[in-house]
Amino acid sequence: MTDTPASLGFRMPAEWEKQQAVWIAYPHNPETWPGLMSSVRKTFLEYYRAVAEECGEQAFILSNGEEVPLPANAKAFNYPTNDVWCRDYGPTFLKNDATGELAMAHFTYNAWGGKFPPWDNDAAIPARIAETFGLRRFEIPIVCEGGALEVDGKGTLITTESVILNENRNPGMSKATAEKILCEALGCNRVVWLKSGLAGDDTDGHVDTQVRFFRPGAVIMATSDIGENVEVTKNNRRTLENAGLEIVELPCPPLIPPPDGWREEFLPATYANFLITNKCVLVPVYGFAEEDAKALEIIGKCFPDHKIKGINCREIILEGGALHCLSQQMPL
């Protein structure tokens, strides 16, 4: 890249900065949530309603030509999609504080290292949105998903080595090269590298299931007492402490067993996969009364000016993600 987003004054805003809309796809792929599509769609509609009616912004729905029952303050965009993980294939929006211009970083997308073909329609979503809204689109020369990026809006990025440096995405790329590309793309000047991710994570370790900023210099960190996740979260703590970040611990829910013959031994359920909006923080919950309530309390203390609302993701997590993975915020 010659004229990089950073060199032109663009940066990726923190999620708590003012938003105009949240992009969410509508589920239609029969291979996602087999036998549960009707029930899962009800959860998606609850999600749309929460964004459109409670969060102070619009819900933009990638409809794939489906008839979607839209709440007030929601709009459907008939773009073809392969699947629903809009956080990962959608645009990473950028803002120029001096001019007010909204733009996007368009990373190469290959469905988490080629695991779930086809992904051609999903990979084209940023270009479609850029054309519709007349936005400048920067093509970033690295394979990356939105769930791998967590920023504080003040220059710090947290990401994961097992994702960005994985041979299934960027073979042979050095950490120094990846860091330079990411900083130039997102307007950051510091990268904090986690080593790996939670057990059962199809993404190879996205940061948005593990560590989330709630203000500059302070993070909410998922903790776990299950198997290999114990060491993963201990390593995360050491990394974050060494980076000088304040840490609030957020225990993961109890183990949710997958169906017999599932592709993973564990489901990567975590409360850290929340979405911050203008008025609310929407939090995945899993049907554990005590643990869900505690998670909502912890997150509420970190966002005292927001309404904290839980949305049951017990079925959604069967496919490895939750509310943050399903959405992409669009700054104002």
Side-chain angles (χ1 to χ4, degrees):
M1 296 185 296
T2 50
D3 289 335
T4 67
S7 72
L8 297 174
F10 289 93
R11 66 179 179 92
M12 180 181 174
E15 199 166 304
W16 54 78
E17 296 184 51
K18 199 70 174 176
Q19 302 173 15
Q20 59 178 294
V22 173
W23 289 88
I24 313 171
Y26 189 65
H28 64 86
N29 188 336
E31 295 182 8
T32 313
W33 299 293
L36 295 171
M37 185 63 77
S38 177
S39 177
V40 163
R41 281 182 168 181
K42 290 179 182 178
T43 303
F44 272 75
L45 294 176
E46 180 186 356
Y47 194 14
Y48 304 158
R49 284 193 295 269
V51 169
E53 297 175 0
E54 299 181 59
C55 294
E57 54 198 273
Q58 290 185 283
F60 285 166
I61 310 305
L62 301 172
S63 68
N64 193 63
E66 302 274 348
E67 289 292 330
V68 184
L70 294 174
N73 209 32
K75 182 178 181 180
F77 292 81
N78 185 18
Y79 305 147
T81 58
N82 302 111
D83 217 326
V84 293
W85 308 107
C86 188
R87 173 66 50 180
D88 291 345
Y89 59 71
T92 296
F93 289 101
L94 309 171
K95 188 74 179 283
N96 188 310
D97 294 319
T99 66
E101 181 183 353
L102 188 67
M104 64 173 66
H106 185 177
F107 294 95
T108 300
Y109 174 74
N110 72 352
W112 315 282
K115 294 187 181 76
F116 300 102
W119 59 82
D120 54 331
N121 289 333
D122 289 346
I125 288 297
R128 293 181 184 277
I129 294 175
E131 181 179 7
T132 299
F133 287 83
L135 301 180
R136 192 179 335 195
R137 178 171 59 93
F138 297 93
E139 294 192 16
I140 312 302
I142 192 172
V143 178
C144 179
E145 304 92 41
L149 308 170
E150 180 68 17
V151 301
D152 66 353
K154 300 294 184 181
T156 298
L157 163 69
I158 306 176
T159 191
T160 317
E161 292 180 21
S162 59
V163 174
I164 301 298
L165 304 182
N166 198 309
E167 289 294 305
N168 65 15
R169 289 171 174 80
N170 300 295
M173 182 174 286
S174 69
K175 183 184 287 189
T177 297
E179 194 162 312
K180 178 176 173 60
I181 292 171
L182 291 171
C183 285
E184 289 177 343
L186 304 175
C188 295
N189 52 41
R190 179 170 80 133
V191 181
V192 178
W193 290 92
L194 307 180
K195 274 287 184 187
S196 58
L198 300 177
D201 186 352
D202 288 318
T203 73
D204 301 308
H206 276 179
V207 65
D208 70 348
T209 64
Q210 303 183 76
V211 177
R212 306 292 307 284
F213 280 110
F214 65 91
R215 59 175 165 76
V219 296
I220 297 172
M221 186 194 83
T223 63
S224 176
D225 58 2
I226 298 173
E228 64 190 73
N229 287 342
V230 175
E231 192 61 30
V232 169
T233 55
K234 283 182 178 178
N235 286 337
N236 287 348
R237 170 171 278 282
R238 285 192 290 267
T239 298
L240 299 169
E241 287 176 341
N242 289 339
L245 297 173
E246 176 187 338
I247 299 169
V248 172
E249 292 191 351
L250 181 65
C252 286
L255 179 65
I256 301 175
D260 291 341
W262 204 245
R263 64 179 178 268
E264 298 284 356
E265 184 180 357
F266 300 102
L267 297 176
T270 166
Y271 297 109
N273 203 244
F274 54 78
L275 176 70
I276 310 166
T277 69
N278 290 337
K279 295 182 178 180
C280 307
V281 180
L282 303 177
V283 182
V285 293
Y286 302 98
F288 300 105
E290 183 178 345
E291 290 84 358
D292 290 354
K294 183 63 175 177
L296 296 175
E297 178 187 0
I298 291 169
I299 294 169
K301 289 179 179 178
C302 294
F303 295 96
D305 297 327
H306 285 69
K307 175 182 177 180
I308 311 300
K309 179 180 178 67
I311 295 179
N312 194 316
C313 290
R314 184 67 175 253
E315 292 179 339
I316 300 291
I317 198 62
L318 288 172
E319 287 295 346
L323 301 181
H324 198 255
C325 300
L326 295 171
S327 59
Q328 182 62 260
Q329 72 277 357
M330 186 176 187
L332 187 63

